[in-house]
């Protein structure tokens, strides 16, 4: 049943029309530059510019170069391959880490994360690669060779979307802070983040507003405050439930949830940062069900039910005109 559900979700992304997705057309335009104007890979890195003020990361440029020149020049095949790279590792990670795989899958959809896979091709490829890296490096039986492979996946993710470098926070936590950063300290750090944001909001807004690149997006926070509030309540509840006993190995899931919530909170002030939180989505879609339902209390069940209903209502609203989804259309070339 899980395979069927995942298969349907992946198919929707793979079979979408070129008009679906905020940046789908932008990336498909790369084919013209690569096939018609680029003589070799070196020129791709030195001469080619999409516009006057930025280039794509070299890893993504190289991927497009080899794909369109040596694998396929089909736009449809490009969408299929990028969808598989981005989504399959996430679904495998959910299957391996979640104790409630269908609840985690449900939350992945209704919290709006699935919708991002239609819109941010390059970043979701990086998310898929960081998820793969996480699964390899977090395997306690990983030998040196597997650790090298896991590191290579992480570096590949960074080469495709630079923001993926922030996923290194997870590895830094494992090496240096796993024992020190207790649930209570995470709660204190999160409270400090909120306090600092309130204090420096005006100053930062004025400074960032002077930037040319992405300035409009950065200063126009648009993440639903209700989403952050409900996640905040869940986070506080889990910390309270853990006050007398830690979550053992699940402290890392709690840390991933802490990172996801922290970046979503920043999104209230700087909207583009919300997308960075997607790298830590496992903390929300796996961490919340695992950590909360493990408590096995009526209060936990009630809170979990409220969380589910809240995100379901939010998702339903998005289907009738909010920002999560775009109108769907199938690419008829497949038929």
């Amino acid at each position: 049943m899980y395979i069927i559900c995942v298969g349907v979700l992946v198919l929707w992304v793979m079979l979408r029309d070129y008009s679906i997705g905020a940046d789908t057309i932008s990336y498909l335009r790369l084919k013209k530059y690569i096939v018609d104007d680029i003589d070799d890979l070196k020129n791709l890195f030195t001469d080619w510019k999409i516009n006057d003020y930025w280039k794509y990361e070299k890893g993504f440029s190289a991927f497009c170069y080899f794909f369109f020149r040596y694998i396929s020049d089909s736009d449809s095949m490009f969408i299929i391959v990028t969808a598989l790279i981005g989504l399959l590792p996430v679904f495998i990670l959910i299957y391996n880490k979640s104790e409630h795989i269908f609840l985690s899958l449900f939350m992945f959809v209704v919290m709006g994360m699935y919708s991002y896979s239609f819109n941010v091709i390059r970043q979701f490829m990086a998310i898929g690669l960081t998820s793969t890296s996480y699964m390899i490096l977090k395997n306690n039986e990983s030998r040196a060779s597997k650790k090298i492979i896991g590191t290579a996946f992480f570096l590949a993710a960074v080469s495709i979307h630079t923001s993926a470098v922030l996923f290194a926070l997870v590895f830094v936590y494992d090496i240096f802070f796993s024992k020190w950063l207790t649930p209570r300290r995470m709660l204190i750090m999160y409270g400090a983040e909120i306090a600092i944001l309130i204090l420096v909001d005006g100053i930062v807004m004025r400074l960032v507003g002077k930037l040319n690149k992405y300035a409009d997006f950065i200063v126009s926070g648009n993440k639903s405050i209700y989403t952050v509030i409900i996640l905040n309540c869940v986070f506080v509840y889990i910390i309270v439930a853990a006050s007398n006993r830690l979550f053992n190995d699940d402290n890392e899931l709690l840390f991933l949830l802490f990172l996801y919530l922290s970046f979503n909170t920043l999104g209230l002030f700087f909207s583009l940062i919300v997308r960075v939180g997607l790298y830590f989505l496992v903390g929300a879609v796996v961490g919340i069900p695992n950590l909360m339902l493990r408590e096995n209390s009526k209060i936990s069940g009630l809170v979990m039910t409220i969380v589910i209903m809240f995100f379901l209502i939010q998702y339903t609203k998005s289907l009738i005109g909010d920002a999560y989804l775009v109108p769907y259309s199938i690419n008829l070339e497949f038929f």
Side-chain angles (χ1 to χ4, degrees):
M1 183 59 69
Y2 185 76
I3 292 173
I4 292 172
C5 292
V6 166
V8 171
L9 292 175
V10 174
L11 278 174
W12 277 120
V13 181
M14 292 195 307
L15 299 182
R16 73 184 189 274
D17 187 72
Y18 307 146
S19 62
I20 303 302
D23 59 10
T24 304
I25 292 295
S26 299
Y27 292 138
L28 291 178
R29 287 173 182 161
L30 300 181
K31 184 173 68 172
K32 176 183 182 300
Y33 291 93
I34 290 174
V35 175
D36 297 340
D37 301 335
I38 304 302
D39 296 328
D40 57 48
L41 189 60
K42 181 180 178 180
N43 291 338
L44 184 67
F45 294 149
T46 57
D47 299 333
W48 173 52
K49 291 185 178 181
I50 301 300
N51 50 44
D52 294 334
Y53 60 91
W54 75 299
K55 296 179 182 180
Y56 292 120
E57 286 84 345
K58 292 183 178 180
F60 184 73
S61 299
F63 169 81
C64 292
Y65 178 86
F66 284 109
F67 182 87
F68 286 126
R69 277 189 171 264
Y70 301 111
I71 298 176
S72 173
D73 63 354
S74 167
D75 295 340
S76 301
M77 189 59 64
F78 179 80
I79 292 177
I80 290 173
V81 172
T82 54
L84 291 174
I85 292 174
L87 284 172
L88 283 188
V90 172
F91 291 136
I92 294 172
L93 180 59
I94 289 174
Y95 183 81
N96 288 335
K97 295 286 289 184
S98 178
E99 298 172 14
H100 315 274
I101 57 175
F102 291 106
L103 180 54
S104 293
L105 193 62
F106 173 83
M107 294 184 70
F108 176 75
V109 174
V110 300
M111 289 178 73
M113 301 171 192
Y114 173 63
S115 301
Y116 273 104
S117 65
F118 290 83
N119 295 291
V120 288
I121 292 176
R122 188 162 48 94
Q123 187 183 0
F124 235 91
M125 289 176 64
I127 291 170
L129 292 172
T130 54
S131 298
T132 303
S133 172
Y134 179 78
M135 286 186 284
I136 295 174
L137 294 176
K138 290 308 298 177
N139 186 346
N140 293 328
E141 298 179 357
S142 291
R143 292 170 289 188
S145 59
K146 288 188 175 181
K147 291 181 178 180
I148 293 174
I149 294 173
T151 303
F153 273 104
F154 171 70
L155 294 176
V158 175
S159 74
I160 287 177
H161 205 287
T162 308
S163 62
V165 71
L166 290 171
F167 196 79
L169 291 170
V170 179
F171 306 129
V172 172
Y173 165 81
D174 285 338
I175 298 172
F176 298 106
F177 300 109
S178 58
K179 294 183 179 179
W180 178 84
L181 196 54
T182 61
R184 288 181 179 179
R185 285 174 176 166
M186 289 184 205
L187 183 59
I188 292 172
M189 290 175 63
Y190 180 65
E193 175 194 356
I194 295 176
I196 292 171
L197 284 173
I198 293 173
L199 290 173
V200 305
D201 177 34
I203 299 174
V204 174
M205 288 292 189
R206 284 193 291 270
L207 292 175
V208 174
K210 298 181 182 297
L211 300 176
N212 293 323
K213 180 181 175 182
Y214 289 142
D216 292 339
F217 295 98
I218 295 174
V219 300
S220 58
N222 61 2
K223 183 67 178 177
S224 169
I225 189 171
Y226 303 108
T227 299
V228 176
I229 289 173
I230 195 72
L231 285 172
N232 187 19
C233 293
V234 170
F235 185 63
V236 171
Y237 175 82
I238 290 175
I239 298 297
V240 172
S243 59
N244 296 321
R245 56 189 183 282
L246 301 182
F247 285 113
N248 300 322
D249 59 321
D250 278 343
N251 266 349
E252 182 175 285
L253 280 176
L254 189 57
F255 178 67
L256 286 165
L257 175 58
F258 163 72
L259 291 176
Y260 178 81
L261 179 57
S262 295
F263 282 106
N264 272 266
T265 302
L266 283 171
L268 292 174
F269 300 85
F270 319 110
S271 63
L272 208 63
I273 296 179
V274 171
R275 286 171 50 178
V276 177
L278 289 173
Y279 292 107
F280 313 104
L281 58 84
V282 64
V285 301
V286 173
I288 291 175
N290 280 17
L291 296 173
M292 185 175 290
L293 297 184
R294 184 171 291 180
E295 287 301 303
N296 195 28
S297 69
K298 291 183 178 180
I299 297 178
S300 291
L302 177 61
V303 175
M304 193 74 245
T305 301
I306 294 173
V307 170
I308 292 172
M309 293 303 298
F310 171 80
F311 284 114
L312 182 58
I313 292 170
Q314 288 290 95
Y315 182 73
T316 304
K317 283 176 55 182
S318 75
L319 295 177
I320 56 176
D322 211 340
Y324 282 125
L325 284 181
V326 291
Y328 196 77
S329 177
I330 293 177
N331 181 4
L332 296 179
E333 287 186 14
F334 287 99
F335 305 98

